[in-house]
Amino acid sequence: MGAIGFSFLYDIAAADADAPKSPLDLIDPKRKGKIASSYPHDAAVLYLYSLYAQKYGWDWVAALARRDVWNTTAGQRRGSGPSGGPG
C-alpha cells in the first residue's frame, strides 16, 4: 500500500463554498490569476505536476498554464515583489 502526500491548498475564508474540490477545479476560468504554486523547479513540485499530467493529461496542464498561475519560491509571499507584485 502507498500514499501520496501531495495536494493543493486554499484559503478557507477566501474560497468559502467555492473552494476547489479537485485539481480539475483549478482550471476553471474563474480562477484565472487566483492560483499560486511553488515554482516547478523543485523536485517535489515537479513530481506533483507529473502526477497531475498522468492523471488529467497534458490538456489539463495547458489549461492550468492559461490560468495565469503565480509561481513562487520558498518563503516568498504574493505582494512581496517590487510595487507589491510578485517578487
Side-chain angles (χ1 to χ4, degrees), residues 42-84:
D42 176 90
V45 177
L46 187 56
Y47 178 66
L48 175 63
Y49 278 107
S50 74
L51 293 176
Y52 286 161
Q54 288 174 25
K55 182 165 180 124
Y56 303 111
W58 287 104
D59 287 341
W60 179 90
V61 175
L64 183 67
R66 290 190 299 272
R67 296 301 161 252
D68 193 22
V69 176
W70 182 66
N71 291 302
T72 182
T73 56
Q76 186 180 21
R77 293 176 45 190
R78 194 179 233 337
S80 64
S83 302

Side-chain angles (χ1 to χ4, degrees), residues 9-59:
L9 306 169
Y10 56 88
D11 181 345
I12 294 171
D16 198 27
D18 193 35
K21 307 289 187 280
S22 81
L24 291 175
D25 292 337
L26 298 177
I27 62 172
D28 188 316
K30 69 182 174 188
R31 302 204 190 282
K32 185 171 183 165
K34 298 179 180 180
I35 301 170
S37 173
S38 295
Y39 194 77
H41 72 286
D42 176 90
V45 177
L46 187 56
Y47 178 66
L48 175 63
Y49 278 107
S50 74
L51 293 176
Y52 286 161
Q54 288 174 25
K55 182 165 180 124
Y56 303 111
W58 287 104
D59 287 341

